[in-house]
Amino acid sequence: MRKTKFLLTVLILICGAAEHINAQATYPLNDVASPKNGSYAFTNATIVKDAQTTLQNATLVIRQGKIEAVGNNIMVPKDAVIIDCKGKYIYPAFIDIYSDYGIPAAERQAAAGGGGFFRTQQLTTNTKGAYGWNQSIKSETEAYKIFSADDAKAKALRDIGFGSVLTHQKDGIARGTGAFVTLANQADNFVLIKDRASAHYSFNRGTSSQSYPSSMMGMIALLRQTYLDAQWYKSNPATEGVNLSLKSWNDNQSLPQIFEANDKWNDLRADKIGDEFGVQYIIKGGTNEYQRIKEISETKASFILSLNYPAAMDVDDPNDLRFTGLDDLKHWELAPGNAAAFEKAGINFCLTTADLANVTEFMANLRKAMEYGLSENKALDALTKAPASLLGVYDKIGSLDAGKIANFLITSGPVFGEKTVLLQNWTQGLKNSIKDDNWFDVKGSYNYMAYSNTGNKAFTLDLKDAGVAQFIAKDTLTGKYSYDGNLVKLSYTEGRGPNAKETILSGAVTGNRWIGRGTDAQGIAFTWTANFDKKAEAKADSVRPKQPLTLGKVTYPFLSYGWEEMPKQDNILIKNATVWTSEKEGKLENTDVLVKGGKIVSVGKNLTDATARVIDGTGKHVTAGIIDEHSHIASSSTNEGGQSVTSEVRIGDNLNPDDMNIYRQLSGGVTTSHILHGSANTIGGQTQLIKLRWGANDQDLKFAGADPFIKFALGENVKRSSSTQGNPRFPDSRMGVDQVLMDAFTRASDYQNAWKMADDNNKKKGATPIVIRKDLELEALAEIMNKKRFITCHSYVQSEINATIKVADKFGFTVNTFTHILEGYKVADKMKAHGAHASTFSDWWNYKMEVVDAIPYNAYIMQKVGLNVAINSDDAEMARRLNQEAAKSVKYGGMSEEEAWKMVTINPAKMLHVDKQTGSIKVGKDADLVIWSDNPL
């Protein structure tokens, strides 16, 4: 055993000095003054200055909470307390860049108008003061003003190696600023390192009791509008007065911008917002980014990664297990590899304790990440230099360099080693004991003898890890030990249960021999000695597995039937099929279709091409892919129902490429879907046309170059007819719906005129510039009036259809498509004169009052009048059978097969303005093709 000179009195001096290192000069002293310089020298240590620099047998000198010197051959100051760290390691303390430590939880305000339905339909803010209109924009919140150190919570973080955190109030979409603080047991004004260290955002409206926003696309729209409003506010518009929320928003833009996204697709959504406004967010991710690491890498963002891995599934109940998808199982298996995937892709990241149910799980989960490929150097960097650099405080913290804050760890070995013990965590030069009992390594084998009047006992004494002592003779007695460098304490138990008897010993060290006294369970005193025999054998301590992990593969999408690699485009020749062209050529028998580069290049007989893969179409039917004009699949949210007009929201902002309905509808022949906002409001959100590309990301799903559309709605859904508790949101009647449209387009017309006047004025030399607020809601409506955006309108009742046509005529635009349109057969002539298309159900009927006049002849009658008619689904399950839905008009109305088939191919392509690209089998069009085993109707 090697003896270490480390006196107990030194420990007492350290603890005493801690009280006075940062004495508060302006505070009165209720004690006898006892100033100390707080100087310590930690000698003979392995010092890891940062992830790239390790010094052997080195010295660290600190004074008054700062690092004074570090290195080899350092001269130890005469006034320093010397702490021998032979066999120990010293590391920079960890930094958690995503915390709410010391911040009070936000309290949810009562909604205006009471509880129940009205609570969820609060339309205006009840925040007092000159703040913005929406309670979820809390950019005025300043973490440092509400921060209060909490040593109990700080200790939990210190015990796992953290010495400082970035903390903020996790409430709202814009959350204000964060404060950077240490975890020292000090007064608030000493632990605050940087008061306004960051600005924070999220996709969670938090405690806001307002009804808007209620969806992902609504939150994105609110963020986009707030960026625009803040830019406009810089011009000091008199029409706004004082808006402290916008003022704070602008003040916060110079800070590091941190966005809580928590999911791979949300990460990308956040980055797109940043790209639009020239902001590079630091993105707080989740644990599933490995599933789309290429897209994540393309953001060029730095990330904050959680180690909150999914728990293993409970497989005891087969009934529960059947609801566990392959994606759940694969994510459970692969989530610990998330950080390693970031390192492999070269993406900068930090690690956080956020999302863990208990912070004590952090180190075990981090070691698991290392088993999955995360390197120890990168892990250390992600906990020290990376977060400090992102916050602009690396000159103060994050490595062990002279002049920096004395935040460091003393460990028994490499910091991430499974058997390494964190002995001490020093914060701002103050010692926090973690497991000081393990400071001295006395593990090994001793020859133990106990002497008493009743006889002597001999044992082999083995001291092991974790304070375990074994007294080995004929029987082995297990106990425990502790050693503080001066005194040793031992105990062991004989017997079990109520007959168990404990023997307690204590003693002191002299050379390689321990001498002491003890008392056995009968109270008999004895003396004992233990002579050192041999040290415990050192065991390899590695965070790496003995055998390489065999893991499943990431698929695209991360679901059943996903691709391990996205399919490559082939040249394809379909031979000898019945081809439904949906063109004037009609149905062609025994015909070939040649596809090259994703386009139809030839349709005819006896085609050949040496580069093409041949598919025998004998006995089969080939059609253009089905186009669903009215769908709600592949979207993370459908309705933004908080307001009557939400033309600013965009379905394209919240596409979900992992929706299994994409696969299922492809299997039913659908290749293009028009993804609509719901029918909760009169003017809903902007729609998104997509190509059903299984495994594509959200951007690649979008139908490139397609005209933009928007969803309107009439009738029962808009006026909330099904509500039994009242509806505080206007409108409450069909008359009100009409007036919402009139008001919206009147405002949009005024908005256009204001911009024109401003543009004319600003072109004049010497004129005072006029700054107009860009309004995303009115921008979309202005696009409609300028024929740059087109309407698809949820509709049923003839009176409303007539009223809406009149509004459109008044403001000079056309309702492109009336969808559902179950009373279309009553007003088909008026729709034709207006120039509208009709997209309808085949035979839905009687599911609410306004559809009782629906008839299965509707599509046929409208088609005979001369309208362009499509059959749509509005239902994920029905979309798999749109071929059969089209066939119903053959049955009920005697429509020809070819005309019926056009209602799910070329007709919807025309109403969506993409008939030049798809919807029929014609040379030059996209090769969106379906091969059927038989007649598709």
Side-chain angles (χ1 to χ4, degrees):
M1 181 186 73
R2 293 176 294 176
K3 179 180 176 184
T4 307
K5 294 180 180 179
F6 189 94
L7 300 178
L8 188 61
T9 52
V10 170
L11 295 175
I12 295 170
L13 281 171
I14 293 171
C15 296
E19 299 177 13
H20 300 281
I21 289 174
N22 284 321
Q24 301 183 62
T26 64
Y27 283 60
L29 178 67
N30 186 26
D31 195 358
V32 175
S34 178
K36 295 180 174 64
N37 61 17
S39 179
Y40 304 95
F42 302 84
T43 61
N44 304 315
T46 298
I47 297 179
V48 181
K49 291 181 63 178
D50 53 46
Q52 285 72 44
T53 310
T54 300
L55 306 176
Q56 303 294 335
N57 197 30
T59 297
L60 172 70
V61 178
I62 68 172
R63 184 183 299 274
Q64 294 184 343
K66 295 288 184 70
I67 298 172
E68 189 171 89
V70 60
N72 300 106
N73 304 316
I74 298 293
M75 182 173 291
V76 176
K78 293 181 180 180
D79 61 345
V81 176
I82 299 174
I83 302 173
D84 187 356
C85 293
K86 189 173 183 180
K88 311 294 185 297
Y89 287 69
I90 299 179
Y91 286 85
F94 302 154
I95 301 168
D96 192 338
I97 197 174
Y98 203 81
S99 174
D100 58 0
Y101 162 72
I103 301 294
E107 295 183 5
R108 183 177 294 276
Q109 298 183 24
F117 182 80
F118 287 93
R119 181 175 181 82
T120 62
Q121 285 291 311
Q122 181 190 334
L123 303 179
T124 59
T125 181
N126 55 17
T127 301
K128 306 301 181 184
Y131 298 104
W133 72 275
N134 196 284
Q135 290 172 212
S136 60
I137 300 297
K138 302 175 184 287
S139 46
E140 66 277 0
T141 300
E142 302 272 24
Y144 77 94
K145 292 181 180 179
I146 56 177
F147 169 79
S148 182
D150 183 337
D151 196 56
K153 292 181 179 178
K155 182 180 184 305
L157 292 167
R158 292 195 301 257
D159 286 355
I160 57 173
F162 287 88
S164 56
V165 299
L166 175 68
T167 185
H168 74 287
Q169 189 166 65
K170 297 178 180 179
D171 181 45
I173 293 173
R175 298 172 163 185
T177 63
F180 187 63
V181 301
T182 75
L183 298 172
N185 186 11
Q186 290 257 73
D188 297 348
N189 49 322
F190 283 109
V191 301
L192 184 62
I193 304 303
K194 193 170 185 179
D195 52 4
R196 301 180 74 254
S198 53
H200 293 261
Y201 311 86
S202 81
F203 287 133
N204 188 328
R205 66 180 187 175
T207 60
S208 171
S209 51
Q210 283 178 261
S211 52
Y212 182 93
S214 62
S215 65
M216 172 60 68
M217 55 187 166
M219 287 181 273
I220 292 173
L222 180 59
L223 280 166
R224 295 177 65 233
Q225 187 63 66
T226 306
Y227 272 109
L228 294 170
D229 288 350
Q231 292 170 4
W232 166 74
Y233 187 72
K234 292 177 183 178
S235 66
N236 298 313
T239 53
E240 185 69 10
V242 175
N243 188 322
L244 297 178
S245 299
L246 293 181
K247 180 181 184 303
S248 296
W249 179 288
N250 286 330
D251 292 343
N252 298 345
Q253 293 307 302
S254 61
L255 304 175
Q257 307 286 296
I258 298 179
F259 203 114
E260 180 186 84
N262 295 338
D263 169 78
K264 59 186 179 185
W265 298 124
N266 284 353
D267 297 344
L268 300 178
R269 290 169 184 140
D271 186 67
K272 287 170 187 172
I273 297 170
D275 290 346
E276 183 177 355
F277 296 98
V279 176
Q280 181 61 74
Y281 292 122
I282 301 164
I283 298 175
K284 193 270 179 180
T287 57
N288 64 0
E289 284 75 15
Y290 66 92
Q291 298 169 15
R292 289 285 175 172
I293 202 67
K294 176 179 179 290
E295 289 88 343
I296 294 295
S297 178
E298 289 169 352
T299 68
K300 307 300 181 185
S302 295
F303 280 76
I304 304 168
L305 301 183
S306 168
L307 300 179
N308 182 33
Y309 309 138
M313 287 70 185
D314 182 358
V315 297
D316 291 339
D317 187 341
N319 192 53
D320 290 341
L321 189 60
R322 68 194 181 97
F323 294 108
T324 300
L326 179 65
D327 53 333
D328 297 320
L329 294 169
K330 285 174 67 68
H331 182 49
W332 167 77
E333 177 192 25
L334 299 177
N338 199 44
F342 273 76
E343 181 179 5
K344 184 177 180 180
I347 305 169
N348 187 44
F349 66 92
C350 311
L351 297 172
T352 178
T353 61
D355 306 330
L356 292 173
N358 192 322
V359 295
T360 59
E361 301 170 2
F362 179 80
M363 193 57 75
N365 287 7
L366 178 56
R367 292 190 185 108
K368 192 165 188 177
M370 293 177 178
E371 291 176 14
Y372 276 62
L374 176 65
S375 72
E376 295 181 44
N377 279 354
K378 188 61 183 177
L380 182 60
D381 182 81
L383 288 165
T384 53
K385 181 179 180 180
S389 299
L390 288 174
L391 296 178
V393 294
Y394 190 58
D395 60 329
K396 296 182 176 66
I397 203 166
S399 66
L400 301 180
D401 290 299
K404 294 190 176 182
I405 297 169
N407 271 26
F408 58 92
L409 312 174
I410 303 179
T411 67
S412 64
V415 70
F416 301 123
E418 189 172 350
K419 295 178 181 176
T420 292
V421 176
L422 175 54
L423 304 168
Q424 297 173 359
N425 183 340
W426 289 69
T427 48
Q428 290 184 266
L430 304 180
K431 188 188 84 166
N432 303 286
S433 295
I434 310 301
K435 291 186 177 179
D436 264 348
D437 288 349
N438 293 273
W439 185 277
F440 301 97
D441 184 6
V442 293
K443 295 190 299 292
S445 182
Y446 299 77
N447 297 316
Y448 170 90
M449 287 292 298
Y451 309 93
S452 72
N453 294 333
T454 60
N456 301 336
K457 292 183 179 180
F459 292 95
T460 297
L461 173 62
D462 273 358
L463 302 184
K464 299 180 178 295
D465 285 318
V468 174
Q470 288 186 329
F471 293 79
I472 304 170
K474 183 177 180 181
D475 295 317
T476 297
L477 303 175
T478 300
K480 53 188 177 181
Y481 76 94
S482 65
Y483 177 57
D484 64 6
N486 189 32
L487 300 176
V488 65
K489 295 180 181 179
L490 292 149
S491 66
Y492 63 85
T493 301
E494 296 181 82
R496 294 186 178 182
N499 298 320
K501 299 175 181 178
E502 186 176 36
T503 297
I504 300 174
L505 312 85
S506 63
V509 64
T510 303
N512 284 340
R513 189 182 193 205
W514 281 344
I515 302 175
R517 295 179 179 275
T519 304
D520 66 16
Q522 285 75 35
I524 299 173
F526 60 91
T527 60
W528 64 274
T529 62
N531 295 311
F532 178 71
D533 182 21
K534 60 182 179 180
K535 285 190 67 64
E537 292 184 9
K539 294 182 180 179
D541 184 13
S542 173
V543 297
R544 302 295 179 196
K546 293 181 180 179
Q547 298 295 330
L549 289 171
T550 302
L551 300 172
K553 295 183 178 181
V554 173
T555 59
Y556 307 96
F558 198 72
L559 296 168
S560 302
Y561 315 112
W563 310 99
E564 290 184 11
E565 292 184 6
M566 289 295 290
K568 295 178 173 58
Q569 203 173 62
D570 280 346
N571 294 339
I572 295 172
L573 177 58
I574 305 170
K575 297 284 290 181
N576 199 35
T578 299
V579 177
W580 299 56
T581 65
S582 294
E583 290 283 345
K584 63 183 179 181
E585 291 82 5
K587 189 165 30 173
L588 305 175
E589 303 291 342
N590 303 317
T591 299
D592 307 340
V593 180
L594 178 62
V595 171
K596 301 183 76 170
K599 298 287 185 180
I600 299 168
V601 296
S602 186
V603 179
K605 297 182 184 296
N606 303 316
L607 301 180
T608 59
D609 190 294
T611 68
R613 179 162 60 95
V614 176
I615 297 175
D616 184 4
T618 303
K620 298 178 176 62
H621 294 243
V622 177
T623 71
I626 291 172
I627 300 171
D628 190 355
E629 188 278 334
H630 190 135
S631 178
H632 298 293
I633 67 165
S635 176
S636 66
S637 57
T638 300
N639 271 301
E640 178 49 66
Q643 297 175 345
S644 296
V645 179
T646 56
S647 47
E648 72 280 2
V649 308
R650 306 182 297 194
I651 287 289
D653 285 336
N654 69 174
L655 288 177
N656 174 23
D658 291 338
D659 188 349
M660 181 57 80
N661 285 304
I662 297 174
Y663 181 89
R664 291 171 178 163
Q665 292 186 14
L666 279 165
S667 74
V670 180
T671 56
T672 299
S673 289
H674 191 202
I675 313 305
L676 305 187
H677 185 277
S679 54
N681 27 21
T682 307
I683 299 179
Q686 300 169 33
T687 69
Q688 182 61 57
L689 191 65
I690 66 171
K691 289 282 192 85
L692 273 58
R693 299 180 173 101
W694 183 238
N697 61 37
D698 59 340
Q699 196 61 33
D700 290 342
L701 278 179
K702 295 177 180 178
F703 196 124
D707 281 349
F709 276 68
I710 190 169
K711 171 73 175 294
F712 282 23
L714 311 172
E716 292 185 17
N717 292 18
V718 176
K719 65 190 188 70
R720 308 297 177 92
S721 298
S722 60
S723 172
T724 59
Q725 295 178 291
N727 175 22
R729 193 201 75 184
F730 185 86
D732 261 344
S733 68
R734 297 181 192 274
M735 296 180 293
V737 173
D738 184 62
Q739 288 307 301
V740 168
L741 289 173
M742 288 291 296
D743 175 74
F745 282 101
T746 299
R747 290 187 291 115
S749 181
D750 292 344
Y751 176 75
Q752 281 197 122
N753 292 335
W755 271 101
K756 186 177 185 307
M757 289 175 61
D759 288 343
D760 291 343
N761 173 79
N762 297 342
K763 290 175 183 176
K764 297 176 183 176
K765 190 173 183 180
T768 302
I770 298 175
V771 181
I772 304 295
R773 171 181 174 266
K774 186 172 182 178
D775 188 313
L776 294 176
E777 174 190 312
L778 299 179
E779 285 281 321
L781 301 183
E783 289 174 352
I784 294 170
M785 293 191 292
N786 292 319
K787 297 179 175 54
K788 295 180 179 178
R789 183 172 298 279
F790 303 91
I791 299 168
T792 182
C793 185
H794 164 113
S795 55
Y796 290 103
V797 178
Q798 62 173 328
S799 59
E800 289 188 315
I801 298 164
N802 280 327
T804 303
I805 288 174
K806 289 175 182 177
V807 173
D809 290 342
K810 178 178 177 63
F811 289 94
F813 62 86
T814 300
V815 178
N816 187 91
T817 305
F818 283 100
T819 189
H820 302 328
I821 196 68
L822 294 188
E823 290 191 16
Y825 66 94
K826 298 181 181 180
V827 288
D829 54 341
K830 290 183 172 60
M831 291 169 58
K832 181 180 179 182
H834 179 66
H837 302 263
S839 182
T840 188
F841 297 129
S842 60
D843 60 353
W844 278 27
W845 173 75
N846 208 29
Y847 50 92
K848 56 181 174 177
M849 277 301 299
E850 64 185 359
V851 301
V852 293
D853 279 358
I855 59 174
Y857 310 99
N858 185 44
Y860 175 74
I861 293 172
M862 290 191 294
Q863 188 253 0
K864 291 299 287 183
V865 172
L867 290 175
N868 180 45
V869 180
I871 299 293
N872 65 59
S873 74
D874 192 22
D875 178 79
E877 192 64 22
M878 181 182 286
R880 301 169 67 180
R881 298 183 299 276
L882 277 175
N883 59 318
Q884 296 169 349
E885 294 300 303
K888 290 177 180 179
S889 288
V890 178
K891 174 180 179 179
Y892 289 113
M895 188 182 291
S896 72
E897 285 193 344
E898 289 182 36
E899 289 302 316
W901 189 248
K902 288 179 181 179
M903 291 198 298
V904 291
T905 54
I906 192 63
N907 291 5
K910 289 176 179 177
M911 64 182 64
L912 292 167
H913 307 177
V914 292
D915 51 304
K916 291 182 178 178
Q917 295 102 310
T918 191
S920 64
I921 298 179
K922 183 178 180 180
V923 172
K925 288 195 174 185
D926 294 349
D928 299 341
L929 303 174
V930 184
I931 302 177
W932 305 83
S933 62
D934 209 326
N935 186 317
L937 294 175

